[in-house]
Amino acid sequence: MLEKYAEVAGRDVVEHLRQLAGPLKGLRLVHVNSTRTGGGVAEILHKMVPLMQELGLDIRWEVITGEPAYYECTKSFHNAMQGNEVNIPERYLKVYEQTNSQTAGGLEEELQNADVVLIHDPQPAALIDSFPRHKGKWVWRCHIDASRPFRPVWKYLRNFVSKYDASIFSLSNFAQQLPHPVYLIAPSIDPFHEKNRDIDEDDLRETCARFEIDPERPVILQVSRYDRFKDPIGVIRAYRVAKELTPNIQLILAGGGATDDPEGEAVLDEVRTSAKDDPNIKVLLLPSDAHRTINALQRVSDIVMQKSIKEGFGLTVTEALWKKKPVIGGDTGGIRIQVINHHTGFLVRSPEGAALRIRYLLHNRDLMKEMGEKGKEFVRENFLVTRHVREYLTLIYALLNSKKERIELS
Amino acid sequence: MERTCVMPNKSKTDPFLLKDCALIAIAAGKKAQNLRELREHIRNIDLNSLYYHFWGGLLRPRFDNPEYHNDFAIWVAHALHNRLVAERLAVIDPMAYETLEDLRTELIETIEECLDEIQFPTWAGRDDQFEFVRYQIVIFDTNITVTHPEDLVRVFPRMPVGSIFYHFIEGRRRNRNSLDDFRNWLMTFGDEYAELGQSIGEICPYFTPLRELRKELIEVCRSHF
């Protein structure tokens, strides 16, 4: 596996991983998140876990699950971390704490004896309360755009998070004041994931036929969960404005649901209502394992959009750039460090802005091609899973060895 | 990876062990929304953070910004929309100062001068604040050893940009004499490579992206040998 990564990311990149992993051989690291399918976190873990295992670390991946009230509560946490004012009933908080406490009981030996525990997002954050005398280092990884969290909810969550030995945010803009080192680590994509690997032309043709997409006409695509923060309605508005001057465009909205997202269905209904019966808008609800379909849709598109109003990072942006597509993205969160105006795409703040850029790009095909080439190299150098693993290993090494500024490997 | 021993040892000096490096960013926990706040934080911020905002951009995901070369100037231009102040900050050459404390003093004085002149200071939007960051550096072995200066001609072209950063830029902070690692190594040969060392010393690392720096180093070495 490492050999394959060396071919795509570079030999030196893989050599760095080997050097970092050398002193960590046999180290037991447990990841805990809230779903094995759907959403960016699960996707990253599916590829990162085997890669770290191949580097010689003893990696486990555990999932916290609960009753519907638990998911209602954690969805509210998610919305609150992204700045929405939410009122979470006390009984939901009790369910949240009980679910964490019960999960802790089942994972007691695993978590108590781990060298490092990596807790993803708020859902399992309270696990730490069940391990006041834990042996290893506990790290909280926040994948959410937490730039302006709703303070009462953050104050509640901070009670748990502040007990960790370190935390990780995707961008400096998201980082919160905490009494431990706050690392800034961007997420990543895996070039060999079914969603990103090369696809032959026959498969692309088959995908177009299956969804009645005309490959001779421009295709605009947004891939994301049906979530208001992803602004699918805004994408439809942008399409309608752009269509006035570029009537032959087609729009595809493709998304699935995550098992921990109870709001998806309502948003999907809103999107279908907004699309009405326009035959050039395809609203696709795909299963969480439709990676190959997503891959093909991204490849047959001319422009990929990610018009989010809030975005932790936007792995769909990274995926599109990797496939040499210019991206029109909302000027928010992690999209800002991936979509660089006039280099890899355009940042926009309104449906009108998005429409303007759609028209601009469709009338400048050479520029689209140039942006596509740049985007792929940009991802290769900065947003592949190898860089992500290197930064996790660096953090672990620094924490375990109390390193301050310099970590010298030899 | 195989250890590459380049050429037989022609001298008694230690070989040059080529390293590579990467930075990992850590939030410093301070944010500024206007020039005054920026100055106050610069006054107290860890020098590691100051260094990061002057030099760390070379290893970060970004497209080259030919106008402004440090994070403070870029922020003032894009978030405060004050190009005059951005230009004044951008022209501060960190290599002109013996210590980072001296650089800090110069930066504060420049900002204070600007503050004296600005009648209506602007504020950055809430999502455009300047976030101070510090870093840890991780240093890797490349398994490449250079035993003779002549071999630099062949080694430079395949040198990762992280190596250029580590030896040519970070070395100046690490070494007591503030010279880069290449010149320090050449000095161990006595006067034999003084001219090459001088030519390398004339390359300005601050205003050039790492890939361009590598080209300049290659050029200097090729011209010499």
Side-chain angles (χ1 to χ4, degrees):
Chain A
M1 187 193 283
L2 286 168
E3 207 37 47
K4 266 169 55 185
Y5 283 103
E7 282 167 24
V8 172
R11 302 221 158 262
D12 51 340
V13 171
V14 169
E15 178 57 22
H16 292 171
L17 298 185
R18 287 198 174 107
Q19 286 184 34
L20 271 164
L24 303 176
K25 219 152 230 137
L27 173 135
R28 179 174 292 186
L29 165 64
V30 185
H31 289 277
V32 186
N33 80 322
S34 64
T35 177
R36 281 193 197 274
T37 53
V41 180
E43 250 182 67
I44 289 171
L45 288 178
H46 270 296
K47 283 298 169 180
M48 186 177 273
V49 167
L51 183 54
M52 287 176 107
Q53 278 167 339
E54 186 158 331
L55 285 163
L57 282 75
D58 178 2
I59 309 289
R60 315 286 170 94
W61 175 9
E62 303 294 345
V63 170
I64 186 168
T65 53
E67 57 180 277
Y70 166 77
Y71 293 113
E72 287 294 339
C73 182
T74 57
K75 182 66 189 178
S76 296
F77 284 163
H78 190 99
N79 290 342
M81 289 297 284
Q82 298 200 131
N84 276 14
E85 278 189 34
V86 292
N87 185 18
I88 305 176
E90 189 61 35
R91 64 187 170 87
Y92 278 9
L93 296 178
K94 280 221 168 69
V95 171
Y96 170 72
E97 287 167 28
Q98 276 165 5
T99 307
N100 270 267
S101 159
Q102 283 159 8
T103 305
L107 298 174
E108 189 172 352
E109 207 198 319
E110 183 116 75
L111 298 184
Q112 183 61 38
N113 295 320
D115 297 300
V116 179
V117 177
L118 198 37
I119 299 289
H120 296 265
D121 284 335
Q123 294 92 329
L127 281 175
I128 196 163
D129 265 19
S130 300
F131 299 92
R133 281 179 291 279
H134 55 264
K135 179 185 133 217
K137 300 287 183 188
W138 282 54
V139 180
W140 185 63
R141 202 320 174 199
C142 179
H143 294 268
I144 307 167
D145 175 347
S147 49
R148 287 192 307 279
F150 179 53
R151 290 289 157 185
V153 170
W154 171 237
K155 267 169 88 175
Y156 171 79
L157 287 171
R158 197 176 53 198
N159 284 331
F160 304 113
V161 174
S162 58
K163 292 170 189 157
Y164 284 70
D165 298 290
S167 54
I168 305 170
F169 290 83
S170 296
L171 299 176
S172 59
N173 187 234
F174 302 166
Q176 294 297 317
Q177 288 276 5
L178 287 161
H180 55 233
V182 176
Y183 282 82
L184 306 172
I185 300 180
S188 61
I189 59 160
D190 184 281
F192 301 111
H193 190 283
E194 212 181 348
K195 207 191 270 188
N196 297 314
R197 67 173 78 126
D198 290 341
I199 292 187
D200 60 41
E201 289 293 324
D202 286 346
D203 278 5
L204 298 183
R205 272 192 289 275
E206 185 275 325
T207 303
C208 286
R210 178 153 51 115
F211 296 111
E212 297 174 342
I213 299 165
D214 179 356
E216 301 303 318
R217 290 160 50 209
V219 177
I220 317 294
L221 168 75
Q222 172 153 309
V223 177
S224 65
R225 280 184 294 116
Y226 290 99
D227 179 327
R228 289 190 185 90
F229 285 119
K230 313 290 182 188
D231 197 18
I233 304 291
V235 175
I236 293 174
R237 279 179 58 199
Y239 153 85
R240 291 211 165 106
V241 174
K243 200 174 173 60
E244 285 170 19
L245 280 181
T246 322
N248 62 342
I249 56 175
Q250 307 165 83
L251 173 66
I252 305 169
L253 293 166
T259 55
D260 58 349
D261 179 7
E263 279 178 6
E265 211 164 310
V267 179
L268 178 61
D269 283 344
E270 288 169 25
V271 170
R272 283 185 173 140
T273 306
S274 176
K276 292 183 187 149
D277 48 3
D278 185 335
N280 290 310
I281 302 178
K282 318 279 180 205
V283 180
L284 311 178
L285 180 63
L286 301 172
S288 62
D289 60 351
H291 304 310
R292 203 174 172 77
T293 303
I294 298 282
N295 187 343
L297 288 172
Q298 286 168 328
R299 287 178 195 278
V300 300
S301 298
D302 294 273
I303 297 168
V304 171
M305 294 188 64
Q306 188 60 54
K307 220 203 84 48
S308 306
I309 295 159
K310 280 276 181 181
E311 189 61 71
F313 187 72
L315 286 172
T316 50
V317 172
T318 331
E319 290 159 13
L321 295 176
W322 182 246
K323 291 163 191 123
K324 300 187 179 180
K325 303 297 170 184
V327 175
I328 297 173
D331 188 5
T332 185
I335 299 175
R336 283 174 152 196
I337 63 166
Q338 301 186 75
V339 177
I340 314 292
N341 275 330
H342 299 278
H343 288 286
T344 59
F346 291 103
L347 292 171
V348 295
R349 288 164 183 260
S350 64
E352 292 77 9
L356 187 75
R357 294 310 188 180
I358 290 171
R359 277 154 47 179
Y360 177 74
L361 284 171
L362 291 177
H363 285 88
N364 291 278
R365 289 279 175 172
D366 287 348
L367 181 66
M368 279 174 63
K369 195 161 178 260
E370 194 185 308
M371 281 182 168
E373 298 289 340
K374 268 190 186 179
K376 179 152 191 171
E377 286 316 302
F378 193 56
V379 172
R380 193 194 305 278
E381 288 181 12
N382 301 298
F383 300 120
L384 292 185
V385 67
T386 39
R387 188 271 313 150
H388 201 170
V389 170
R390 183 192 76 209
E391 296 195 324
Y392 274 9
L393 294 177
T394 303
L395 176 158
I396 291 166
Y397 189 94
L399 277 182
L400 294 176
N401 294 284
S402 305
K403 292 287 179 188
K404 298 287 181 216
E405 189 174 319
R406 301 178 70 79
I407 299 166
E408 190 141 12
L409 305 164
S410 56
Chain B
M1 192 188 282
E2 248 175 64
R3 181 165 287 272
T4 312
C5 289
V6 184
M7 299 286 288
N9 196 352
K10 291 181 188 170
S11 73
K12 286 181 180 137
T13 61
D14 287 337
F16 189 94
L17 305 177
L18 192 73
K19 303 280 187 180
D20 195 353
C21 77
L23 305 185
I24 185 163
I26 302 170
K30 304 280 180 216
K31 294 182 182 190
Q33 207 165 1
N34 57 40
L35 262 189
R36 208 171 288 277
E37 288 179 4
L38 186 74
R39 179 197 60 186
E40 287 314 303
H41 288 319
I42 289 173
R43 225 188 268 287
N44 303 309
I45 203 77
D46 194 299
L47 289 173
N48 168 298
S49 177
L50 201 64
Y51 186 84
Y52 181 83
H53 291 298
F54 267 91
W55 293 103
L58 290 169
L59 284 176
R60 278 208 304 277
R62 70 176 194 193
F63 289 92
D64 301 327
N65 190 321
E67 281 181 287
Y68 308 111
H69 298 273
N70 64 63
D71 294 344
F72 304 113
I74 293 170
W75 178 71
V76 168
H78 298 301
L80 297 185
H81 308 290
N82 190 329
R83 292 189 173 263
L84 179 75
V85 177
E87 284 168 9
R88 288 190 187 168
L89 293 174
V91 86
I92 295 173
D93 179 355
M95 295 206 320
Y97 303 91
E98 213 162 286
T99 67
L100 281 169
E101 276 301 349
D102 294 341
L103 175 62
R104 189 206 305 262
T105 304
E106 175 61 24
L107 198 53
I108 291 169
E109 277 178 12
T110 305
I111 294 174
E112 280 179 345
E113 265 177 34
C114 296
L115 280 168
D116 286 344
E117 293 167 20
I118 298 170
Q119 205 168 359
F120 302 107
T122 48
W123 286 62
R126 59 186 183 180
D127 287 333
D128 292 319
Q129 299 184 60
F130 189 91
E131 284 121 9
F132 283 86
V133 169
R134 61 188 179 92
Y135 71 95
Q136 287 174 327
I137 183 168
V138 54
I139 301 140
F140 304 99
D141 195 351
T142 63
N143 297 313
I144 296 173
T145 308
V146 186
T147 53
H148 193 272
E150 269 181 32
D151 302 320
L152 286 173
V153 178
R154 280 191 292 149
V155 173
F156 271 136
R158 58 196 173 104
M159 206 178 272
V161 289
S163 298
I164 304 283
F165 184 89
Y166 180 73
H167 291 298
F168 197 55
I169 292 170
E170 208 268 347
R172 295 167 201 241
R173 185 178 179 205
R174 187 176 4 101
N175 297 326
R176 281 196 182 154
N177 59 5
S178 302
L179 292 183
D180 60 81
D181 292 342
F182 300 126
R183 276 184 289 167
N184 264 337
W185 183 59
L186 291 173
M187 278 165 57
T188 64
F189 292 86
D191 290 337
E192 199 179 347
Y193 298 100
E195 206 179 310
L196 175 61
Q198 195 183 336
S199 302
I200 288 177
E202 284 166 9
I203 298 173
C204 173
Y206 185 55
F207 295 99
T208 318
L210 293 172
R211 283 190 173 75
E212 292 302 313
L213 273 181
R214 181 168 56 195
K215 278 188 201 161
E216 289 187 36
L217 286 164
I218 295 167
E219 201 46 50
V220 161
C221 276
R222 279 188 183 145
S223 312
H224 184 84
F225 291 107

